[in-house]
Amino acid sequence: MRIVLLGAPGSGKGTQTDAIIARHGVSTVATGDLLRAEVAAGTELGQRAKPYMDAGELVPFDIVLGMIENGLKTLAVTNPRGFMMDGFPRDLAQAEALDKLLAKINQPLDLVLFFEVDYEEIVKRLLGRGRADDNEETIRNRLRVFEEKTAPLIEYYTRKGLLRTVRGTGTIEDIGARIHAVLDEIA
Ligand code: AP5
C-alpha cells in the first residue's frame, strides 16, 4: 500500500500514523520529523531549513527532495508492505517530482487521504501542543501557506482519481476507524 496523508498543519496526520502502521505494516516518511531531526543535530541542512520552519514557510525544494529520494529508496527496498508519506508533497512541484520518482521505481500511489478539519479547530489544537513553530503568528502563516500551496493538491489528486476525504474531527479513535474503513478497501 502506497499512500500520502494530505491535510493542513494540525489536521492530525502525525497522530494517526502509528495506528495505520500497526494495522497495515507500512513504513512512514515524515518530512517535518526528518527536518526537525536535522535541526536538532545541528547539520548544515538543518541550519538552512530552520529559518523557514520557524516562519512557517516551506523549506526550499532541493532540501526536501534529497531527503525524500533517500527515504523512498530505502523504504521501497526494505518494506514490501509499502509506505506512507506525511508532510510531502506540499505543493505542485513536489507532487510532480513524487510522481516521477515513483514512476522510476514502478511503485505508483494507491491513495491520497485528505484530513478535513476547520482552521479554528486547528489553531486551538496547535496552541495546546507547544512545538517550536506552534505560536499563533507562525500557525496562521502555516495555514496561509497550506491554503496557497498545498490545497491545490486536493484538485490535483482528485483529477487523478486518488483522493479520499476523511473528516478529521472527533475522537482520535473515531477518526482512526474512518481511516481504516478507507484503507481496508485497498489493502
Ligand atoms: P510538519 O512537521 O509537517 O508540520 P505541520 O504541517 O505543521 O503539521 P503538524 O505536524 O503540525 O500536523 P499534523 O497534521 O501531523 O497534526 P498532529 O497529528 O501533529 O512541518 C513543519 C515544517 O517543516 C513546515 O512548516 C515546513 O517549514 C517544513 N516542511 C515539512 N515538510 C515540508 C515539505 N514537504 N516541503 C517544504 N517544507 C516542509 O496533531 C496536531 C495536534 O493536534 C497534536 O497536539 C495532537 O495531539 C492534536 N490532535 C490530533 N488529533 C486530534 C483530535 N482528533 N482531537 C483533538 N486533538 C487532536
Side-chain angles (χ1 to χ4, degrees):
M1 174 188 298
R2 296 176 293 271
I3 60 175
V4 163
L5 306 185
L6 182 66
S11 57
K13 306 178 297 296
T15 301
Q16 296 293 338
T17 56
D18 285 351
I20 297 173
I21 291 167
R23 192 174 179 105
H24 296 285
V26 292
S27 301
T28 185
V29 196
T31 40
D33 291 345
L34 294 175
L35 287 166
R36 277 185 291 280
E38 297 284 345
V39 172
T43 63
E44 193 190 326
L45 191 153
Q47 283 170 24
R48 266 186 75 202
K50 188 173 185 308
Y52 295 94
M53 298 172 77
D54 287 345
E57 296 291 331
L58 297 185
V59 307
F61 185 59
D62 63 307
I63 294 183
V64 179
L65 192 64
M67 289 187 338
I68 283 290
E69 276 171 346
N70 290 338
L72 270 182
K73 258 185 229 148
T74 314
L75 294 186
V77 172
T78 55
N79 189 349
R81 305 282 303 271
F83 57 80
M84 163 172 63
M85 316 203 72
D86 170 5
F88 184 94
R90 257 186 152 90
D91 62 16
L92 282 170
Q94 292 187 8
E96 285 164 4
L98 179 63
D99 285 346
K100 278 197 198 130
L101 222 56
L102 294 180
K104 229 189 270 175
I105 56 173
N106 206 18
Q107 301 208 19
L109 288 175
D110 295 311
L111 190 127
V112 174
L113 204 56
F114 172 56
F115 288 59
E116 194 172 42
V117 182
D118 74 60
Y119 289 172
E120 286 320 306
E121 164 78 14
I122 282 175
V123 173
K124 222 184 325 159
R125 285 183 187 179
L126 294 182
L127 285 175
R129 178 173 63 179
R131 204 170 73 191
D133 55 350
D134 285 341
N135 58 78
E136 182 138 15
E137 192 188 344
T138 304
I139 293 168
R140 298 270 174 207
N141 197 41
R142 282 154 66 197
L143 290 173
R144 266 195 299 275
V145 169
F146 172 78
E147 192 68 39
E148 184 193 331
K149 301 196 164 153
T150 313
L153 298 184
I154 297 168
E155 166 77 19
Y156 180 83
Y157 286 120
T158 300
R159 271 194 275 113
K160 288 179 177 284
L162 291 174
L163 195 92
R164 296 290 296 269
T165 299
V166 168
R167 191 160 52 83
T169 48
T171 67
I172 288 168
E173 293 71 25
D174 285 348
I175 298 162
R178 285 175 213 142
I179 291 171
H180 297 319
V182 173
L183 295 186
D184 285 353
E185 283 175 30
I186 59 157

